[in-house]
Amino acid sequence: MNELPLTRDPAALRTRAKALRRHVLRMAEIVGQGYVGQGLGIADVLTVIYFSELRTRPAEPGWVDRDRFVLSTGHYAIGLYAALAEAGIIPVAELATYGADGSRLEMSAPETTPGVEMTGGSLGHGLAQSVGMALGLRLQGRDARVFNLLSDGECQEGSTWEAALAGAHHRLDRLIAIIDCNNQQADGAPAKVMGLEPLHEKWAAFGWHTQRVNGNDIPALLAAFTQIRATPGKPHAIVVDTLMGKGVKTFEEREKNHFIRVAPEEWALANRQLEESA
Amino acid sequence: MSTPPRGVTGNILTSDAAGAARTETAPFGHALVRAAEQDPRIVGLTADLGKYTDIHVFAEKFPARFFQMGMAEQSLVGAACGLARTGCVPFATTYGVFATRRAYDFIAIGAALGRANVKIIAGLPGLTTGYGGTHQAIEDLALMRSIPGLTVIDPCDATETAQATAAIALHDGPVYMRLLRGVVPVTLEPHNKFEIGKARLLLDGTDVAYISTGLMTTRTLEAARILAATGIKAAVLHVSTLKPFDRAAVGALLSRVPRVVTAENHVVTGGLASAVADLAVDERLAIRLKRVGIPDCFCESGSLPYLAERYAMTAAHLVKAAQEILK
Ligand SMILES: Cc1ncc(C[n+]2csc(CCOP(=O)(O)OP(=O)(O)O)c2C)c(N)n1
């Protein structure tokens, strides 16, 4: 069975990221509101992971030697489903059922859906399970890697830091944590809710090979993953700063919110702005 | 793409108030403000869910008495216990799943064993969110009820949520209360006053007894009305305090009306039905019991009407349960 072809061509990845954003907008429009800001903001990161780094077989999501992508933040499902559809792991047509009664594309991604490795959403589980996966894969002599996407808010959960200690202690250099700093959580900006900065220094202090890059800059993301391959012996953290709503000007500019409400007439403009964006 | 009708989606926050004749907004938040105006010891805390648990009303009114703990539920409950040790009366809010699953040890040891005067206010009880197993607190009552010394409350509506908030503010001891948030239906009249530990007979009847807790009491009342039209007289006993359990009131009803339907917005093991069954065994009461509630499974996500139908928890299902037990 075929592996998903990977590329390091920024132009091809940019085109792919735009396709992800189109899916995100259409799903958000169907439910009329929601996590469109997160989905658009993380699209470049998901694109680079899925189309430049992750070894998967779209027709065989359970392939034992696959790289694992673990989504801690269940509510980022809107972005994950877009990536899974583009990768051919779930049908594009099914995206129209996002959030509907009886759909397997629940607003928070359940692991019963192909390509979803772990049920996230109860935040603070992803890194610990990723540590376990990395330990298990290493024990079995497999060279698969484990990518965990977590959020800035999740860095307030004690369990995240317990797992961070374990990752460094066990020298899991096939474990990569990508921490999305979109500067937003449920009650507002982390600086107001519970200060996290300097976040990259905290990861470094916990013994992780740490980088901080603009998560909407595809060449910068590619360079970060190149660095990772050249740095054995430690787990890797990439703290990515992203812009919520990236690619849709009105969403980029509106007052930042964890869960946004969008008026029905705003979608046409949003779609137009996405097509006009770089 | 075809567009399904709006409003049938599994959003995280969704209101059960559709179709309710009367509603109130944020009854817990406003009641907490009223209590705090009387009692300067009251403080508020949340774990990044202030806007989502109605405690933002308190935070705006008393910013200096409000502590944002970030998304860290163990720290939330631990800090609440510490505040209580200094004489404060902390109200700590998060969703029920995160309070009971993530912070269980902190509630059991810090709050209950330590006899800390802490009030845990727990959002999204049972099937009141469109999100699935990660957010639906389906077994929280079982977990909390088994902790020695903890008071456990599941209010029915806006009226009772406000009254219970006032009552637990005055009560000295740890409390776990389920929260109905946002736009909340009004079912109970204010004169029908909530008291900690007291079950209330809302409707008397001789053929079948509904014993219900939380928002299910709105549905047992409706089921009783439907049955009345067919000549069946159903009693409705509302048991909003799961612990301490009102053994006298429940026992009296069981002795008088031994055909019983329990109804809870919770799995049917370890909650209200189990408390009723325990009592029947202890008191050697021969009853026939049908349990309406969430079956032994993690539930799907979906709109609230879809979920109530899917897991057989509507008034129509309660009517059917009564008819079956009368056969
Ligand atoms: C353990 C846990 N506590 C609380 C929540 C409720 N919750 C859902 S998302 C969220 C904000 C988390 O911050 P982040 O993921 O950074 O938010 P975003 O970037 O999506 O705004 C909270 C508190 C949760 N899902 N899990």
Side-chain angles (χ1 to χ4, degrees), chain A residues 84-99:
Chain A
L84 292 176
E86 274 299 300
I89 296 171
I90 59 173
V92 169
E94 193 175 344
L95 297 180
T97 70
Y98 170 66

PDB file of all heavy atoms in Angstrom, chain A residues 84-99:
ATOM      1  N   LEU A  84      -6.974  15.594   7.113  1.00  0.00           N
ATOM      2  CA  LEU A  84      -7.252  14.178   6.820  1.00  0.00           C
ATOM      3  C   LEU A  84      -7.941  14.027   5.463  1.00  0.00           C
ATOM      4  O   LEU A  84      -7.671  13.084   4.719  1.00  0.00           O
ATOM      5  CB  LEU A  84      -8.132  13.565   7.923  1.00  0.00           C
ATOM      6  CG  LEU A  84      -7.487  13.412   9.310  1.00  0.00           C
ATOM      7  CD1 LEU A  84      -8.509  12.884  10.316  1.00  0.00           C
ATOM      8  CD2 LEU A  84      -6.270  12.491   9.261  1.00  0.00           C
ATOM      9  N   ALA A  85      -8.814  14.991   5.146  1.00  0.00           N
ATOM     10  CA  ALA A  85      -9.509  14.931   3.848  1.00  0.00           C
ATOM     11  C   ALA A  85      -8.517  15.181   2.716  1.00  0.00           C
ATOM     12  O   ALA A  85      -8.507  14.467   1.713  1.00  0.00           O
ATOM     13  CB  ALA A  85     -10.647  15.948   3.814  1.00  0.00           C
ATOM     14  N   GLU A  86      -7.656  16.178   2.882  1.00  0.00           N
ATOM     15  CA  GLU A  86      -6.658  16.476   1.843  1.00  0.00           C
ATOM     16  C   GLU A  86      -5.691  15.308   1.678  1.00  0.00           C
ATOM     17  O   GLU A  86      -5.212  15.040   0.567  1.00  0.00           O
ATOM     18  CB  GLU A  86      -5.876  17.745   2.205  1.00  0.00           C
ATOM     19  CG  GLU A  86      -6.548  19.034   1.767  1.00  0.00           C
ATOM     20  CD  GLU A  86      -6.732  19.132   0.253  1.00  0.00           C
ATOM     21  OE1 GLU A  86      -5.716  19.097  -0.470  1.00  0.00           O
ATOM     22  OE2 GLU A  86      -7.878  19.220  -0.199  1.00  0.00           O
ATOM     23  N   ALA A  87      -5.414  14.608   2.757  1.00  0.00           N
ATOM     24  CA  ALA A  87      -4.491  13.473   2.689  1.00  0.00           C
ATOM     25  C   ALA A  87      -5.174  12.218   2.148  1.00  0.00           C
ATOM     26  O   ALA A  87      -4.521  11.208   1.926  1.00  0.00           O
ATOM     27  CB  ALA A  87      -3.906  13.195   4.078  1.00  0.00           C
ATOM     28  N   GLY A  88      -6.477  12.278   1.975  1.00  0.00           N
ATOM     29  CA  GLY A  88      -7.202  11.125   1.439  1.00  0.00           C
ATOM     30  C   GLY A  88      -7.530  10.073   2.490  1.00  0.00           C
ATOM     31  O   GLY A  88      -7.867   8.943   2.166  1.00  0.00           O
ATOM     32  N   ILE A  89      -7.460  10.447   3.757  1.00  0.00           N
ATOM     33  CA  ILE A  89      -7.753   9.487   4.825  1.00  0.00           C
ATOM     34  C   ILE A  89      -9.257   9.442   5.111  1.00  0.00           C
ATOM     35  O   ILE A  89      -9.805   8.402   5.447  1.00  0.00           O
ATOM     36  CB  ILE A  89      -6.922   9.823   6.092  1.00  0.00           C
ATOM     37  CG1 ILE A  89      -5.429   9.659   5.762  1.00  0.00           C
ATOM     38  CG2 ILE A  89      -7.323   8.941   7.275  1.00  0.00           C
ATOM     39  CD1 ILE A  89      -4.470  10.162   6.820  1.00  0.00           C
ATOM     40  N   ILE A  90      -9.932  10.576   4.973  1.00  0.00           N
ATOM     41  CA  ILE A  90     -11.403  10.582   5.023  1.00  0.00           C
ATOM     42  C   ILE A  90     -11.902  11.274   3.743  1.00  0.00           C
ATOM     43  O   ILE A  90     -11.179  12.096   3.168  1.00  0.00           O
ATOM     44  CB  ILE A  90     -11.966  11.302   6.284  1.00  0.00           C
ATOM     45  CG1 ILE A  90     -11.497  12.754   6.348  1.00  0.00           C
ATOM     46  CG2 ILE A  90     -11.589  10.561   7.563  1.00  0.00           C
ATOM     47  CD1 ILE A  90     -12.150  13.560   7.466  1.00  0.00           C
ATOM     48  N   PRO A  91     -13.118  10.958   3.292  1.00  0.00           N
ATOM     49  CA  PRO A  91     -13.613  11.571   2.054  1.00  0.00           C
ATOM     50  C   PRO A  91     -13.901  13.066   2.224  1.00  0.00           C
ATOM     51  O   PRO A  91     -14.453  13.472   3.244  1.00  0.00           O
ATOM     52  CB  PRO A  91     -14.930  10.833   1.773  1.00  0.00           C
ATOM     53  CG  PRO A  91     -15.023   9.722   2.754  1.00  0.00           C
ATOM     54  CD  PRO A  91     -14.065   9.990   3.865  1.00  0.00           C
ATOM     55  N   VAL A  92     -13.534  13.843   1.236  1.00  0.00           N
ATOM     56  CA  VAL A  92     -13.797  15.285   1.280  1.00  0.00           C
ATOM     57  C   VAL A  92     -15.291  15.551   1.457  1.00  0.00           C
ATOM     58  O   VAL A  92     -15.698  16.434   2.221  1.00  0.00           O
ATOM     59  CB  VAL A  92     -13.270  15.974  -0.002  1.00  0.00           C
ATOM     60  CG1 VAL A  92     -13.770  17.410  -0.097  1.00  0.00           C
ATOM     61  CG2 VAL A  92     -11.737  15.960  -0.025  1.00  0.00           C
ATOM     62  N   ALA A  93     -16.126  14.770   0.796  1.00  0.00           N
ATOM     63  CA  ALA A  93     -17.577  15.006   0.851  1.00  0.00           C
ATOM     64  C   ALA A  93     -18.102  14.899   2.280  1.00  0.00           C
ATOM     65  O   ALA A  93     -19.064  15.569   2.656  1.00  0.00           O
ATOM     66  CB  ALA A  93     -18.302  14.017  -0.051  1.00  0.00           C
ATOM     67  N   GLU A  94     -17.438  14.061   3.087  1.00  0.00           N
ATOM     68  CA  GLU A  94     -17.923  13.860   4.452  1.00  0.00           C
ATOM     69  C   GLU A  94     -17.761  15.115   5.317  1.00  0.00           C
ATOM     70  O   GLU A  94     -18.441  15.271   6.338  1.00  0.00           O
ATOM     71  CB  GLU A  94     -17.187  12.667   5.087  1.00  0.00           C
ATOM     72  CG  GLU A  94     -17.836  12.192   6.373  1.00  0.00           C
ATOM     73  CD  GLU A  94     -17.189  10.936   6.943  1.00  0.00           C
ATOM     74  OE1 GLU A  94     -16.442  10.252   6.217  1.00  0.00           O
ATOM     75  OE2 GLU A  94     -17.431  10.658   8.134  1.00  0.00           O
ATOM     76  N   LEU A  95     -16.876  16.019   4.913  1.00  0.00           N
ATOM     77  CA  LEU A  95     -16.667  17.232   5.718  1.00  0.00           C
ATOM     78  C   LEU A  95     -17.976  18.004   5.898  1.00  0.00           C
ATOM     79  O   LEU A  95     -18.145  18.718   6.884  1.00  0.00           O
ATOM     80  CB  LEU A  95     -15.611  18.138   5.060  1.00  0.00           C
ATOM     81  CG  LEU A  95     -14.194  17.548   4.938  1.00  0.00           C
ATOM     82  CD1 LEU A  95     -13.272  18.560   4.265  1.00  0.00           C
ATOM     83  CD2 LEU A  95     -13.639  17.144   6.303  1.00  0.00           C
ATOM     84  N   ALA A  96     -18.905  17.832   4.965  1.00  0.00           N
ATOM     85  CA  ALA A  96     -20.192  18.533   5.049  1.00  0.00           C
ATOM     86  C   ALA A  96     -21.006  18.100   6.265  1.00  0.00           C
ATOM     87  O   ALA A  96     -21.945  18.783   6.663  1.00  0.00           O
ATOM     88  CB  ALA A  96     -20.999  18.302   3.779  1.00  0.00           C
ATOM     89  N   THR A  97     -20.624  16.976   6.875  1.00  0.00           N
ATOM     90  CA  THR A  97     -21.389  16.500   8.040  1.00  0.00           C
ATOM     91  C   THR A  97     -20.777  16.975   9.364  1.00  0.00           C
ATOM     92  O   THR A  97     -21.281  16.620  10.433  1.00  0.00           O
ATOM     93  CB  THR A  97     -21.439  14.953   8.085  1.00  0.00           C
ATOM     94  OG1 THR A  97     -20.118  14.450   8.405  1.00  0.00           O
ATOM     95  CG2 THR A  97     -21.898  14.382   6.750  1.00  0.00           C
ATOM     96  N   TYR A  98     -19.720  17.768   9.281  1.00  0.00           N
ATOM     97  CA  TYR A  98     -19.027  18.243  10.503  1.00  0.00           C
ATOM     98  C   TYR A  98     -20.025  18.766  11.544  1.00  0.00           C
ATOM     99  O   TYR A  98     -20.831  19.658  11.259  1.00  0.00           O
ATOM    100  CB  TYR A  98     -18.056  19.357  10.112  1.00  0.00           C
ATOM    101  CG  TYR A  98     -17.428  20.117  11.256  1.00  0.00           C
ATOM    102  CD1 TYR A  98     -16.554  19.504  12.139  1.00  0.00           C
ATOM    103  CD2 TYR A  98     -17.687  21.473  11.436  1.00  0.00           C
ATOM    104  CE1 TYR A  98     -15.966  20.212  13.175  1.00  0.00           C
ATOM    105  CE2 TYR A  98     -17.105  22.197  12.465  1.00  0.00           C
ATOM    106  CZ  TYR A  98     -16.246  21.557  13.344  1.00  0.00           C
ATOM    107  OH  TYR A  98     -15.665  22.260  14.358  1.00  0.00           O
ATOM    108  N   GLY A  99     -19.988  18.191  12.729  1.00  0.00           N
ATOM    109  CA  GLY A  99     -20.813  18.687  13.838  1.00  0.00           C
ATOM    110  C   GLY A  99     -22.278  18.312  13.781  1.00  0.00           C
ATOM    111  O   GLY A  99     -23.039  18.677  14.676  1.00  0.00           O
TER     112      GLY A  99
END
